[in-house]
Amino acid sequence: VCELTNSTQNIGVCTYPVKDCPQYCSSHGTCIYKDNNDNEIDTCLKSNVFCRAECECEDGYFGQDCSIEGTAELELIIQVRDEVCYDLEQVQTIQNENADTLLTRAALVAETLIDYNLISTNAFKTCVTLLTNTVADYPEIVGSPSHGATFVNAFSTILNQRTALPTTVYNEIVDGLKILIEGFHANL
């Protein structure tokens, strides 16, 4: 962002905006920057895709934005998110799967997996598998103009977990993305 300091001479001072932490860590944490290898770095410009801003929460606060106070609240949130993934898996076996159902499923998976620390490993894997199976079963629907962005968002949410992803989950996501691309091509 460049701001003019002297409008008659068009001379300005340029500043390069840095990435913000979620909710500015809810005033219960410190914003730190990390590179793709999870090393702490001094700064992270918004234009740099190889780094991220994240909160380092004070003791007793949890979540990406340090907004969860206490372990009781944390455990309740994990339990609810786990149930969402397990229930989605169960409902999928009996549900009439139409375009609206698939769109809702992808949005729910993205919202549920927004913070890897707020869901158990097994539930995380269940949601990932549900998403990738949905893409594999309905590539032309999920790759349509009305659905593609929601599914891309769901996969992006998962990939944002970076180093926390086991290799098997990462490979499953890559396979799902390949099928999603095929779905995009089928809709051209």
Side-chain angles (χ1 to χ4, degrees), residues 22-187:
Q23 302 299 321
Y24 301 100
C25 303
S26 304
S27 300
H28 296 292
T30 304
C31 191
I32 61 172
Y33 305 109
K34 291 192 173 181
D35 63 18
N36 277 351
N37 296 318
D38 223 24
N39 298 313
E40 196 167 328
I41 55 177
D42 293 331
T43 191
C44 178
L45 302 179
K46 286 185 178 182
S47 60
N48 186 347
V49 297
F50 300 107
C51 63
R52 66 187 182 281
E54 66 180 47
C55 294
E56 192 170 75
C57 298
E58 297 170 358
D59 286 343
Y61 289 90
F62 306 94
Q64 284 183 328
D65 61 358
C66 304
S67 64
I68 300 167
E69 186 175 359
T71 55
E73 185 178 354
L74 174 66
E75 289 170 5
L76 178 63
I77 290 170
I78 291 172
Q79 179 184 356
V80 168
R81 288 176 185 260
D82 285 3
E83 288 175 14
V84 168
C85 285
Y86 297 139
D87 289 348
L88 280 171
E89 179 186 43
Q90 291 299 313
V91 167
Q92 181 247 349
T93 62
I94 59 171
Q95 196 171 38
N96 177 16
E97 295 186 320
N98 58 41
D100 290 337
T101 303
L102 303 179
L103 188 63
T104 301
R105 182 181 301 155
L108 278 169
V109 167
E111 185 61 32
T112 302
L113 301 183
I114 196 82
D115 187 342
Y116 186 78
N117 296 311
L118 299 180
I119 190 167
S120 71
T121 302
N122 287 338
F124 185 87
K125 289 177 182 177
T126 297
C127 260
V128 168
T129 298
L130 178 66
L131 183 69
T132 55
N133 286 346
T134 300
V135 170
D137 292 343
Y138 304 98
E140 290 186 18
I141 294 174
V142 302
S144 69
S146 61
H147 287 57
T150 302
F151 278 85
V152 167
N153 180 54
F155 279 112
S156 294
T157 298
I158 297 166
L159 290 172
N160 277 336
Q161 308 308 317
R162 290 182 173 79
T163 57
L165 293 176
T167 303
T168 55
V169 173
Y170 178 79
N171 290 338
E172 192 173 346
I173 294 164
V174 169
D175 291 342
L177 285 169
K178 288 177 184 175
I179 296 168
L180 183 59
I181 291 169
E182 291 171 10
F184 287 147
H185 287 157
N187 282 285

